[in-house]
Structure formats: C-alpha cells, structure tokens
Amino acid sequence: MKDKIIEQLYESTKKPYQKYFKKNKPWNIDKTQLLDYPEYSLGYALGNFLYKNHFEIQEKLEDHDIIHVLTKTGVSVTEEIGMQYYLLGNGKKSLYLFLVILSGTPFYPKSFFYFMQQFKKGYRAHSFYYLNFSNMLHMPIETIQKTFKI
C-alpha cells in the first residue's frame, strides 16, 4: 500500500516538475534508437534498461534513467529512494531530491541502513550527476563507471 502512495505522489508531481523545473532540452531519441548503439555503450544500456522495465523515455528526465543504469539501481520504491540518497552523497542538491528523501524515508524505516549505504557509495564516487549524458551515449559504460568510481 505504501508503495502505491509513493508511486502516486511521484506521478502527480512528475509533470509539473518537468514543465517548471527542468530547463534542459529533451533528447529527441526513442528507446529503439538507443539499441542501435554498440552493445557496450551507455546508449545501448539505457535502451536495454527501458525495454527490460517496460519504460518509455520521459522527456527532460532522461538523466534519471541514466543514473539507474550507471549505478545499477533497480526500480522498486525503496531503490528509487536509495538512488536519491546516492545522488545526495554524490553532491546533488535539488528540490525534488529532498522531497523524495523527506517524503519517502519515513515510509521505509527498515531500509534506513540501505539508504545510508547508498549515500556512502555516492559519496565515494567522483561527482558525476551533473554530466551531459546525451553526449556520452556512445561511450563504453564500464569506462564511465570506472572513471567516476561508480
């Protein structure tokens, strides 16, 4: 039940967040095109992630799924919250990140140690959350992960 509440919160805030807070340009690529990238590349890994999870690219929110791919984070509600802790540890500070952490953490007190573990992983990695990932789709995913200690 609590997963549904958190998911509904996300769905109800996604559109306003995209419209009013995300100033980046959409990538104008679909998941089929991503699978045309070499198998080892970030673009291919993103396309594979989208297909595997039955997702579509969300305009202006493409980086979110890239972070899932780079950090090998799943898509359950606790993993989504954990990913925000990872990003906080990595240095990201945004209204949405804090809203997810502040609204999600009380629902999952048993996951607190997991959240702290994710924060520490993000802290140990080189800062990467701000990169222009659309320009990196052709790059080998392992190279990015090793370079930034992800």
Side-chain angles (χ1 to χ4, degrees), residues 71 73 78-79 81-90 110-125:
T71 62
T73 302
T78 52
E79 289 168 316
I81 297 166
M83 192 171 83
Q84 297 305 315
Y85 273 94
Y86 187 107
L87 290 168
L88 180 64
N90 199 245
K110 291 180 181 176
S111 297
F112 183 74
F113 290 109
Y114 166 70
F115 297 151
M116 289 301 99
Q117 179 185 35
Q118 291 303 102
F119 176 87
K120 289 175 186 174
K121 282 182 182 179
Y123 185 78
R124 286 191 298 263

Side-chain angles (χ1 to χ4, degrees), residues 56-119:
E56 294 298 325
I57 290 183
Q58 297 178 55
E59 195 172 275
K60 296 185 176 184
L61 301 175
E62 298 91 348
D63 288 357
H64 179 84
D65 290 330
I66 288 282
I67 302 295
H68 274 284
V69 170
L70 287 172
T71 62
K72 299 179 184 174
T73 302
V75 296
S76 71
V77 173
T78 52
E79 289 168 316
E80 289 281 354
I81 297 166
M83 192 171 83
Q84 297 305 315
Y85 273 94
Y86 187 107
L87 290 168
L88 180 64
N90 199 245
K92 183 174 184 179
K93 292 171 180 68
S94 72
L95 176 62
Y96 205 75
L97 177 143
F98 289 117
L99 286 174
V100 169
I101 288 175
L102 293 172
S103 64
T105 305
F107 282 93
Y108 300 93
K110 291 180 181 176
S111 297
F112 183 74
F113 290 109
Y114 166 70
F115 297 151
M116 289 301 99
Q117 179 185 35
Q118 291 303 102
F119 176 87

Side-chain angles (χ1 to χ4, degrees), residues 3-141:
D3 285 359
K4 290 288 181 203
I5 293 169
I6 297 292
E7 287 171 10
Q8 286 175 339
L9 260 170
Y10 169 73
E11 286 302 321
S12 66
T13 59
K14 180 174 66 171
K15 293 278 188 217
Y17 180 66
Q18 280 172 297
K19 185 175 181 177
Y20 299 112
F21 292 96
K22 294 301 281 184
K23 302 299 180 201
N24 56 308
K25 293 185 192 261
W27 291 6
N28 294 320
I29 192 168
D30 65 37
K31 65 183 176 183
T32 315
Q33 292 170 295
L34 290 168
L35 294 176
D36 290 336
Y37 282 87
E39 274 189 49
Y40 59 84
S41 70
L42 181 60
Y44 183 87
L46 176 59
N48 203 26
F49 171 83
L50 294 169
Y51 269 105
K52 184 178 115 188
N53 291 292
H54 309 286
F55 293 157
E56 294 298 325
I57 290 183
Q58 297 178 55
E59 195 172 275
K60 296 185 176 184
L61 301 175
E62 298 91 348
D63 288 357
H64 179 84
D65 290 330
I66 288 282
I67 302 295
H68 274 284
V69 170
L70 287 172
T71 62
K72 299 179 184 174
T73 302
V75 296
S76 71
V77 173
T78 52
E79 289 168 316
E80 289 281 354
I81 297 166
M83 192 171 83
Q84 297 305 315
Y85 273 94
Y86 187 107
L87 290 168
L88 180 64
N90 199 245
K92 183 174 184 179
K93 292 171 180 68
S94 72
L95 176 62
Y96 205 75
L97 177 143
F98 289 117
L99 286 174
V100 169
I101 288 175
L102 293 172
S103 64
T105 305
F107 282 93
Y108 300 93
K110 291 180 181 176
S111 297
F112 183 74
F113 290 109
Y114 166 70
F115 297 151
M116 289 301 99
Q117 179 185 35
Q118 291 303 102
F119 176 87
K120 289 175 186 174
K121 282 182 182 179
Y123 185 78
R124 286 191 298 263
H126 294 302
S127 187
F128 69 95
Y129 67 88
Y130 61 87
L131 296 172
N132 184 346
F133 295 112
S134 66
N135 293 334
M136 301 172 72
L137 295 175
H138 65 282
M139 293 181 68
I141 189 169

